[in-house]
Each structure stands twice: as structure tokens, then as C-alpha cells.
Amino acid sequence: KFAATKDKAKLATVKTDLRNIMTAEEAYFSDYAAYAATVPTTLFIPSSGNTYGGVGSTSSWSATVTNASISTAPNKCTVTVGSGLATDGQITCS
């Protein structure tokens, strides 16, 4: 049970990092009228144990945050903004 609780806490940091990336991308968009080509590292620092990646264009972006120390799936979450899909802006984990 303890391991499962630790995994839930780590997954919560993954989701929090994605929300922080969303805020950083919106701040970047506010300044430059376009999303950043990569996650703006001056506006975002990941939580310990988490790794991230992302791509962006002028009108959309996508980012993924992973924590390899989570022992059971899901251990990564993704969000896309500006896709025009029903899942636009929703965090999905796998």
C-alpha cells in the first residue's frame, strides 16, 4: 500500500508540472503572441524526478511529463493546447 501511495504522490507532481507548463506557455504567448517552440525553461522548472519534453508552434503546443520511478502505470501525462480536438487542454495519463 505504501508504494501505491508514493506512486500516487509522484503522479500528482507529474500533473502539477504539466499545469505549470500550461501557465508558462500562456505567459509566453501573452508576451510574444505565439507559443514557444519548446517548453520555456525560464518560466518552468520540473519537480525532482520528473522529465519533460514539448513542442510548439504559433497556434498550438504539446508537452509530456514523465516520472520513471513510478512503479506502475501511469507514469507519464500529456497535454495539447490549440489542437481543436475535444481533448484540447485536458491532461491525459498513460
Side-chain angles (χ1 to χ4, degrees), residues 5-67:
T5 301
K6 284 178 64 176
D7 283 349
K8 286 180 184 179
K10 291 175 185 178
L11 186 61
T13 68
V14 168
K15 291 177 182 179
T16 298
D17 279 359
L18 271 179
R19 287 185 199 97
N20 290 337
I21 289 172
M22 293 172 82
T23 300
E25 284 285 357
E26 293 304 322
Y28 187 94
F29 187 86
S30 178
D31 290 343
Y32 301 103
Y35 291 113
T38 60
V39 175
T41 56
T42 57
L43 301 173
F44 169 74
I45 298 171
S47 299
S48 178
N50 291 349
T51 58
Y52 67 94
V55 295
S57 66
T58 55
S59 60
S60 67
W61 62 271
S62 179
T64 300
V65 176
T66 304
N67 187 313

